[in-house]
Amino acid sequence: GMFEVDGASAVSGLRPAETADALAELVAKSLLAVDVDGADVTYRLLETTRTYGLDKLAGSGKNQETRQRHAEHVCRVLEQATVEWSQSAAPQWASVYGRHLDDLRGALAWARHETVNRALRIRLTVAGLLLWNHFSHTEECRARVSEAVAELDAAGLTGSVFEMQLKAWLGGATMFTQGLMSQAMEAMEQALDIANRRGDVDYRVRCLRLMGVHQLFCGENDAAIHTIGR
């Protein structure tokens, strides 16, 4: 996707000043598109340049370390997006972070084949939850979260805050894309159990609300009233 000097610096491993000079040279040679909006400068690779660059990267012997830096950078950016979610107006937040959606997809596609990076893949998935939700990519969210949940045990993250977050979102996404399946309620109950043990009020409320909705949709009105009362 579109990127800035800081992002290119993080992925390339070059210092910001070196990165800015290199990007300026590429723009001068019409190998990069540039967009200037006040003090903000963003860049975008043309498709032919992207293909050429990927071929060069693949033959450089630095593909893995570069993609590792890319995945870590995307993870940091989206974790910051989560922090800023409650502090920004939704349209402003979307304009800043929406362009990272394809980077998230690319980073997860790479991490899927890297068993030593299970923990990073799980962090990336959790970091992307609000992005998928904001743009209503509910099925994509469910699929990626399901994959991350399957890696929790091998990554040593069973019972962690990551499992709590993933299971809560898995329950909701499953309910709204696959229907009123028992697996959805099971995921939410597991997330609620971790939230209770961790004293996480936010996720306790999220889980109870989703569980109450599931019970209402199933016609279990008395149980729903009790859950919502809690």
Side-chain angles (χ1 to χ4, degrees):
M2 297 180 69
F3 60 93
E4 299 171 341
V5 170
D6 288 346
S9 175
V11 175
S12 67
L14 298 174
R15 293 192 299 272
E18 292 179 279
T19 304
D21 289 342
L23 294 175
E25 290 181 15
L26 292 171
V27 170
K29 295 174 182 177
S30 299
L31 295 174
L32 270 181
V34 61
D35 180 39
V36 180
D37 182 10
D40 297 326
V41 180
T42 54
Y43 302 89
R44 176 175 53 83
L45 277 167
L46 307 177
E47 283 303 316
T48 50
T49 315
R50 184 192 305 277
T51 301
Y52 176 77
L54 285 171
D55 287 342
K56 295 290 284 185
L57 179 61
S60 69
K62 298 181 179 180
N63 187 54
Q64 288 298 92
E65 63 185 83
T66 303
R67 289 188 178 277
Q68 173 89 25
R69 287 196 296 265
H70 174 260
E72 290 172 348
H73 170 68
V74 173
C75 193
R76 287 193 297 270
V77 168
L78 294 183
E79 286 175 341
Q80 180 60 33
T82 301
V83 172
E84 294 182 9
W85 169 251
S86 62
Q87 303 168 7
S88 304
Q92 179 186 355
W93 186 92
S95 68
V96 172
Y97 293 107
R99 59 188 171 87
H100 294 285
L101 188 55
D102 282 337
D103 280 298
L104 171 62
R105 290 165 174 157
L108 284 172
W110 168 78
R112 188 178 299 135
H113 304 291
E114 300 296 317
T115 56
V116 296
N117 283 301
R118 284 191 174 98
L120 176 57
R121 180 181 174 189
I122 290 168
R123 276 183 59 208
L124 265 170
T125 305
V126 170
L129 291 171
L130 287 177
L131 202 59
W132 285 314
N133 181 68
H134 182 81
F135 291 100
S136 299
H137 295 302
T138 312
E139 173 55 26
E140 181 179 1
C141 177
R142 186 202 63 78
R144 298 292 82 81
V145 168
S146 295
E147 293 172 358
V149 164
E151 299 288 333
L152 284 166
D153 189 44
L157 292 172
T158 302
S160 68
V161 65
F162 293 108
E163 180 178 10
M164 177 187 72
Q165 293 169 311
L166 290 171
K167 291 286 180 69
W169 285 80
L170 178 61
T174 299
M175 177 168 62
F176 291 118
T177 61
Q178 305 290 305
L180 302 173
M181 304 173 66
S182 60
Q183 293 94 320
M185 181 61 86
E186 289 169 7
M188 291 183 281
E189 288 173 341
Q190 291 164 356
L192 177 61
D193 180 60
I194 298 173
N196 285 334
R197 285 190 275 115
R198 297 183 63 87
D200 192 313
V201 176
D202 179 32
Y203 265 81
R204 173 178 166 80
V205 172
R206 286 171 185 252
C207 292
L208 287 170
R209 179 177 59 83
L210 283 169
M211 290 166 64
V213 170
H214 189 284
Q215 290 164 333
L216 282 172
F217 286 171
C218 288
E220 301 170 0
N221 297 324
D222 290 340
I225 289 171
H226 175 69
T227 300
I228 295 169
R230 292 168 64 193

